[in-house]
Structure formats: C-alpha cells, structure tokens
Amino acid sequence: MREGNNVPNPDTSPPVTLAQATLYWLKLGFMSFGGPAGQIAIMHQDLVDKKRWISESRFLHALNYCMVLPGPEAQQLATYIGWLMHRTTGGLIAGTFFVLPSFFILVGLAWVYMAYGSVPAVAGMLYGFKPAVVAIVLFAAYRIGSRVLKNRVTWSIAALAFLAVFILKLPFPFIILGAGLIGYLGGRITPGHFRIGGGHGDARKESASAWIDDHTPTPAHALFSRIKFIRVAAAGLAIWGTAMGALFLAFGGNSIFIQIGWFFTKAALLTFGGAYAVLPYIYQGAVEHYQWLAPHQMIDGLALGETTPGPLIMVVTFVGFVGGWVKAALGLDALFASAFIASTVATFFTFLPSFIFILLGGPFIETTHGNLKLTAPLTGITAAVVGIIVNLALFFAYHVFWPSGMSGPLDVLSVMLAAIAMVALFRFKAGVIPVILGCGIIGMALNLLTPAIIASGLAF
C-alpha cells in the first residue's frame, strides 16, 4: 500500500470510501439478527461474496482472531474489517453502528416494559416469551455442544463445569480460568482431544479478486509496532479512567453508575463463548448481589434481547435500564433519566474492551498471519461453556415452570409453550425470532382471552 493511499487493492474493485462503508455498517446494525452465526453469515455474504471488499481467507483470518477474544465476535469482526479498511476511524464507526440501533431499540422496549408492563397485552406477550427463552437456551447448549463435545475429555470438562456451578456455586471466572488451564495443559499432553474442527466452515476456493485480497500487502496503519501498541493501550486505559472519573465526580463513589461501570467492565473481560456463557455471571451480580432487577425481569430482558438486532450481550442495556429505574438514582421524578444513564454506562463499559482488543491485537495478527496457538485453551473454555449454559437453562426453567417455587404449583401452560418452542427449534429448524414472537403472540392471546387461566398458570 502506498503511503497516504486509502485503497489497499485499487486494481481489482472500486475503492470503498469511508462514507460508503459508514452507510453499510449502519444498515448492518439494523439487520444483524440471528445471533453471532447469523451476523457473521450476513457479513460474509455482503463483504466477501457481493461487495468483494475483502477476500475469503482474510475474512476468516480476522474471524479466527475475534473468536479467541472475550466479547461479541460478530461486533469485533465488524470493528476489525472497518479498521483494516479505514484505520481507527473506520473501526470505531463499524463497531459502534453495529450496536447503536439495538441500543436505542432496547431502551425503548425497556421503557415500555417498566412503564406499561402490567398492561394485559404486554404482560401476556412477556408470559409467552419466558418459556421460549428456556427452549432457546437449551438449543444454544445443544448447538455449541455438538460442535465441541467430540470426545470423553471435552464431555468431562462440560460435566465438571456444570457441577461446579450447579452444586458448588463456584464463581464464573474461576470456572472459565480452570477450563482454559485444562485446555492449555491438555493441548500439550493429548492434543488430539482438543483439536476441534472449525465451526464456521472451511475456506472455499479462492474468491474473486477483492479490494483487500489474499495477497494485498498489509497497509501501513495495520503494521505492528511496540509504540503503537503502547499508545493504544494507554489510550484505552485513559478513556476508561476518564469515564469512571466523570461518573465519580458527577454522582459520587457509591452511586449505582459507578457499580455498573465496574461490574460490566469485569463482565466484558469474561465473555468467552458468547453471551449465553456470561449470562450466569451477569445474573449473579445484577440479580443476586446488587439486586438491580428480579429473576423474572432478567428472563424478560433476555427475551427482548433475542428479538432485536445486534449481539445478544446487548441484554446489558436492558439490565442497566431496569437497574437505573428501580434504584431511582436521580430521584423518583427522574426515573427515565436515571435508567437511560445507567443503560448507557452498562453498554459503554461492556463494549469498550472489544474496541481496545481489536486495535491492540489487529496489527499483530495482520503482520504475522500465523497460528494463534490458542485453540486448545479455547476448546476447554467452550466445553465448560456448554455445562454452564445447561445450568442456565435449568435455572430459567425453574423460575418459569414454578413461578412460586418448587413448593408451589407447576405452570403447565409454560411447559406446553416451551415444548412447542423446542419442537420448532430442534425439529423444524425455526429461527429464534419467529419462535420468540410466536410464543409471545400465543401468550398475549391467552392473556386477553382467558386472563384467569394465565393468572393461575393452569397450575397443578
């Protein structure tokens, strides 16, 4: 790449301006449904097959790096490609627009939830959402497990992780660190047990010439240097410290906003294996420790997060909003302001590390184009994630099927809706959004037509 030239491969396809890329990233933010697999598939189809902005191998090379990072891999992939095409500005635009539409949509839904959640139609739809979430979480465990649990070792790691969280109640970070250590050691001792095939498909035949092609030289801004690395790390820490300092000066050291900032910074560093894996940790902190929201509200938030574009970890926006509303940090006459600030803080501190990881590690990855040598630890962590997700599904099922506790009656309607959702997901391969909306519509109809039945839960 020539100095000052923004076009990595001008002879193969028309140059992509920053304005053109910005419009695409904004559009992607509104259409990024289907979880990480669906979002990655959309980007692959658009950027590799249709627009030819990046070649197949360069796309997969970037994806492999994002897969070993904590955080939402699809959002990080967008950030990486935006950065590779248009420097830091392009990366910031791509990563921000990937989540911005979802943020405002979830804030709106959370406001309706808190202000009008007792309206029969809304309450009925939320009633239908809950059993669908149980089925979706179980399906997530199956989907990840079928990819990574290929032998007795990985099955054993999953089982141990489940027992560690279900019986021993060990903190989530300890389980993840332990699984990563097992994977690291196991990869050296018995590498065959930790050699898992690529989950996103093998590279097909070399694609047609792309703007960033297989043999396009690494652009100057993407070359690794220690000075750049130190500068990015210092800038990231400065941004984090400035944001925390501003919250401290504005609201005090004991405010909920400071608590949210600290908590979601830690959560962002633990999201190995996707949002489902870190949800138990978020539950432990947000529901049990800080009591920002109730268990049923956490399930409702996950259901709403499933129906909006963007990564599922955007559920943190809902958690922050409800926490700010419930705690009324700015007073009872400013509930929305308190909730909006809290949701903004939660979202900011959740995604800040993702940007830093890409800008820190991207130049190293682009310069080396080598193996990351993190496959075995990642496999161990992913195996543990399966056990953690199964525990999460059982937790949700308990609160949905026995809303009054095990000593109370069984909500048969919820069990039936969960069974319908599972058949749709496992047998008919239905998408998450149709399942969520379908169960929500059934719940709304039941609540409007037979509110007494819903109130009793057709319980036995």
Side-chain angles (χ1 to χ4, degrees):
M1 174 176 169
R2 295 186 298 273
E3 186 66 29
N5 186 359
N6 239 11
V7 183
N9 199 355
D11 299 326
T12 57
S13 63
V16 182
T17 65
L18 180 60
Q20 290 173 321
T22 298
L23 288 176
Y24 172 75
W25 298 125
L26 180 59
K27 174 186 173 184
L28 180 66
F30 282 100
M31 57 183 283
S32 55
F33 292 95
Q39 293 155 0
I40 291 168
I42 290 172
M43 280 191 281
H44 183 276
Q45 184 179 27
D46 286 345
L47 302 180
V48 176
D49 295 335
K50 291 183 179 180
K51 299 180 180 295
R52 295 190 295 115
W53 287 0
I54 188 169
S55 69
E56 174 95 4
S57 65
R58 297 292 283 265
F59 181 93
L60 293 178
H61 184 69
L63 176 60
N64 287 338
Y65 173 56
C66 297
M67 285 293 294
V68 302
L69 293 175
E73 61 264 34
Q75 185 264 351
Q76 289 169 332
L77 179 62
T79 304
Y80 191 108
I81 296 175
W83 161 78
L84 189 59
M85 292 196 306
H86 296 110
R87 306 172 183 268
T88 301
T89 301
L92 294 176
I93 290 174
T96 300
F97 280 179
F98 193 89
V99 300
L100 201 60
S102 178
F103 171 79
F104 286 110
I105 292 171
L106 269 175
V107 165
L109 291 174
W111 174 74
V112 171
Y113 176 84
M114 295 303 294
Y116 303 102
S118 59
V119 174
V122 177
M125 181 166 286
L126 292 172
Y127 175 85
F129 281 169
K130 292 183 179 72
V133 168
V134 175
I136 289 168
V137 175
L138 277 174
F139 185 65
Y142 163 76
R143 203 170 51 207
I144 298 173
S146 63
R147 188 174 73 241
V148 73
L149 303 185
K150 300 294 187 180
N151 50 64
R152 289 177 295 178
V153 173
T154 49
W155 272 99
S156 298
I157 294 174
L160 288 173
F162 172 80
L163 294 174
V165 68
F166 184 77
I167 296 179
L168 301 179
K169 309 296 183 184
L170 291 181
F172 177 77
F174 291 168
I175 299 173
I176 290 297
L177 291 175
L181 180 60
I182 292 174
Y184 173 78
L185 297 175
R188 289 174 170 266
I189 299 171
T190 58
H193 289 99
F194 293 86
R195 189 175 294 117
I196 305 298
H200 293 276
D202 299 325
R204 298 168 298 183
K205 62 180 181 179
E206 185 171 327
S207 59
S209 257
W211 190 54
I212 301 176
D213 214 345
D214 293 354
H215 306 294
T216 301
T218 302
H221 72 273
L223 293 173
F224 177 81
S225 75
R226 292 183 179 180
I227 294 177
K228 283 183 181 179
F229 186 90
I230 294 172
R231 285 176 179 173
V232 172
L237 290 174
I239 293 171
W240 183 89
T242 300
M244 288 295 289
L247 292 175
F248 180 86
L249 293 175
F251 305 107
N254 295 322
S255 74
I256 184 178
F257 306 122
I258 290 287
Q259 294 174 348
I260 288 175
W262 275 109
F263 176 72
F264 284 108
T265 295
K266 292 183 290 183
L269 301 176
L270 296 171
T271 50
F272 292 99
Y276 285 113
V278 81
L279 282 175
Y281 177 73
I282 294 177
Y283 170 83
Q284 286 178 349
V287 178
E288 294 181 345
H289 181 69
Y290 292 110
Q291 298 181 345
W292 293 330
L293 70 172
H296 73 275
Q297 291 175 321
M298 184 74 183
I299 302 173
D300 292 339
L302 181 58
L304 293 175
E306 290 278 15
T307 63
T308 57
L312 181 57
I313 196 62
M314 287 299 294
V315 71
V316 303
T317 300
F318 179 89
V319 171
F321 190 96
V322 174
W325 185 290
V326 169
K327 296 300 183 180
L330 303 181
L332 295 177
D333 57 342
L335 291 178
F336 180 82
S338 175
F340 183 80
I341 294 174
S343 62
T344 302
V345 171
T347 307
F348 175 83
F349 283 99
T350 296
F351 285 94
L352 176 62
S354 292
F355 288 100
I356 297 173
F357 287 142
I358 294 301
L359 298 178
L360 271 180
F364 177 76
I365 300 306
E366 280 299 311
T367 300
T368 60
H369 283 282
N371 294 325
L372 300 180
K373 297 180 180 179
L374 291 176
T375 301
L378 180 64
T379 299
I381 291 172
T382 308
V385 161
V386 176
I388 293 171
I389 295 175
V390 170
N391 173 75
L392 181 68
L394 293 179
F395 165 79
F396 281 169
Y398 168 77
H399 285 279
V400 172
F401 299 157
W402 287 275
S404 302
M406 290 295 289
S407 59
L410 172 69
D411 188 342
V412 177
L413 278 178
S414 289
V415 175
M416 293 172 61
L417 282 174
I420 293 172
M422 290 185 68
V423 170
L425 289 167
F426 284 88
R427 175 66 179 85
F428 296 102
K429 311 299 181 185
V432 167
I433 294 174
V435 170
I436 283 275
L437 294 179
C439 288
I441 291 171
I442 293 174
M444 181 173 63
L446 288 172
N447 200 38
L448 291 175
L449 297 175
T450 55
I453 295 180
I454 292 291
S456 65
L458 194 64
F460 293 94

